[in-house]
Amino acid sequence: MPMYEYECQKCGFVFEARQKFSDEPLSECRDCGGAVKKLISRSGFALKGGGWYDQGYSADKSAPKCPANSGGGCGGCPKAS
Ligand SMILES: [Zn+2]
């Protein structure tokens, strides 16, 4: 489950929330109830170990290019089938 970071626009409080992709994004600060802004997660999409692109799929010209191929994958990578 990915981890999201939110920053409160009112008090500046930054907190993390682990949510499913299907969950609604948070809109309220846990501290003061003010509006929050979603931050780019620093680690939520990091894959441990090799990904599908390490298994020969990168040689497949039909495979969509992943912009994060060198850094451990991204949340938008299609699953290898
Ligand atoms: Zn706040």
Side-chain angles (χ1 to χ4, degrees):
M1 214 181 288
M3 183 82 87
Y4 298 105
E5 274 191 286
Y6 292 89
E7 180 180 12
C8 177
Q9 303 295 282
K10 193 170 166 188
C11 73
F13 181 53
V14 175
F15 59 96
E16 292 179 328
R18 195 176 282 277
Q19 297 183 283
K20 295 180 210 165
F21 286 109
S22 55
D23 282 351
E24 292 284 323
L26 299 182
S27 59
E28 287 188 359
C29 174
R30 285 179 181 175
D31 194 38
C32 73
V36 296
K37 178 180 71 176
K38 195 167 166 184
L39 303 177
I40 301 299
S41 175
R42 286 178 296 213
S43 58
F45 292 122
L47 298 177
K48 305 275 194 303
W52 55 272
Y53 47 86
D54 284 334
Q55 298 163 25
Y57 289 97
S58 59
D60 182 352
K61 289 183 175 57
S62 69
K65 278 208 167 71
C66 174
N69 262 3
S70 60
C74 68
C77 288
K79 288 217 163 68
S81 54

